[in-house]
Amino acid sequence: MTPQDGSGAGELPAPPRSHWRNLPSWWIWIVAVSTVVATLAVLVGLSPVVRGPLVAWVVLVCPSVGFGYRSRAADPLARWVIGGVGAVGLATVVAELLLLSRAWSPTALLVVVGTVATLLVRGPLRWRRRPLTR
């Protein structure tokens, strides 16, 4: 309810802008191509000097970009922290699930984390809602 004098003191603040506008559209391509290149580097068996930074990029940096921009934090440092914690948590959970299901493979970890990172960076999925009743 607003006061009768028209000052607008009781109005609700405007909703925050979507953070997805801040994320450049080319990030999805960087994350997707990085995942494919790192997976191929692991499968081909490139030198660990080349393979190590690629795998670290896909497992730690790519998900942190997605988690950081999915957070609603206004502070850039908070986004970095949320992204880093989310990336480490994602890698840990995926590794544990692969280990418990007796399907452990570093390549599978790389593919799953890279795919989730690509979906995180892609942004919100826009599904058409169907009515519950016909």
Side-chain angles (χ1 to χ4, degrees):
M1 292 192 284
T2 60
Q4 297 299 331
D5 63 357
S7 65
E11 293 180 13
L12 295 174
R17 275 188 16 183
S18 173
H19 294 293
W20 293 107
R21 294 181 190 150
N22 298 338
L23 187 63
S25 61
W26 40 265
W27 262 109
I28 189 170
W29 294 108
I30 289 175
V31 172
V33 169
S34 297
T35 301
V36 170
V37 168
T39 304
L40 289 176
V42 168
L43 291 176
V44 170
L46 290 180
S47 169
V49 175
V50 175
R51 191 175 52 209
L54 285 173
V55 170
W57 169 263
V58 171
V59 172
L60 296 175
V61 176
C62 291
S64 67
V65 171
F67 279 119
Y69 277 99
R70 276 201 181 262
S71 72
R72 298 202 180 266
D75 183 27
L77 179 61
R79 285 188 188 179
W80 278 84
V81 170
I82 291 170
V85 169
V88 170
L90 175 68
T92 302
V93 168
V94 170
E96 287 180 7
L97 289 174
L98 288 172
L99 188 62
L100 290 173
S101 65
R102 299 187 188 271
W104 169 251
S105 166
T107 308
L109 174 74
L110 184 66
V111 170
V112 171
V113 171
T115 303
V116 171
T118 304
L119 292 174
L120 282 170
V121 171
R122 188 217 176 271
L125 298 175
R126 299 196 194 323
W127 300 97
R128 289 185 356 194
R129 293 186 182 192
R130 295 182 181 171
L132 295 176
T133 59
R134 289 183 182 215

